Amino acid sequence: MNNGPRIQREKQTVEQMIRIYCAAHHGKVLCESCEELLRYAHKRLDYCVFGEEKSTCEKCPIHCYKPERKTQIKQVMRYAGPRMTYKHPILAIQHMLKNLKPAPEHPKNKKNKTM
């Protein structure tokens, strides 16, 4: 299970994005549907094969979200992403900088090259 500082920051970023989206669309701090999405996102981060080397989801070569959840999180990110700059500027800048880096190589591919 991943629990390093980068994964924790990713969890914090996705949580703030979901909170922004939920407040605007559902009028709550976190409704049941958004709470479920947050738990799902955190679980995906917990078990990300890239761990601390993880890129942003946008650049990730593995799409680990189920199609329905992927659609939900894309909606959230489209809405909340631009608003993060004002509400959580440090998290937003860190995320934008992380998005500039290329996606890491899949761990299975790395093993095959070293053999």
Side-chain angles (χ1 to χ4, degrees):
M1 187 149 100
N2 300 315
N3 60 1
R6 288 182 180 170
I7 293 294
Q8 292 306 314
R9 187 171 60 232
E10 282 286 314
K11 286 181 176 182
Q12 187 179 10
T13 301
V14 76
E15 180 172 349
Q16 293 309 320
M17 291 177 107
I18 291 171
R19 287 182 181 281
I20 289 168
Y21 178 86
C22 190
H25 291 84
H26 306 135
K28 297 182 178 183
V29 174
L30 210 54
C31 70
E32 188 176 326
S33 174
C34 289
E35 178 69 41
E36 285 177 25
L37 179 60
L38 178 60
R39 280 194 302 269
Y40 183 82
H42 280 193
K43 189 172 184 176
R44 299 285 64 191
L45 287 166
D46 283 340
Y47 295 100
C48 178
V49 297
F50 297 107
E52 287 293 288
E53 300 303 313
K54 181 191 174 313
S55 64
T56 58
C57 292
E58 180 182 7
K59 292 201 173 188
C60 187
I62 299 173
H63 298 289
C64 61
Y65 278 48
K66 292 179 183 177
E68 180 185 322
R69 296 291 189 189
K70 186 176 177 180
T71 300
Q72 282 180 299
I73 202 69
K74 277 185 169 185
Q75 266 186 312
V76 166
M77 289 182 176
R78 269 191 220 112
Y79 179 82
R83 290 157 180 84
M84 284 290 287
T85 307
Y86 302 107
K87 297 196 178 249
H88 302 284
I90 294 172
L91 287 175
I93 291 168
Q94 288 171 333
H95 188 75
M96 285 186 273
L97 290 173
K98 189 175 182 182
N99 202 34
L100 295 175
K101 295 180 181 180
E105 191 174 344
H106 192 288
K108 287 182 184 176
N109 293 341
K110 280 184 181 179
K111 288 178 187 175
N112 291 337
K113 284 185 179 179
T114 59
M115 293 181 162

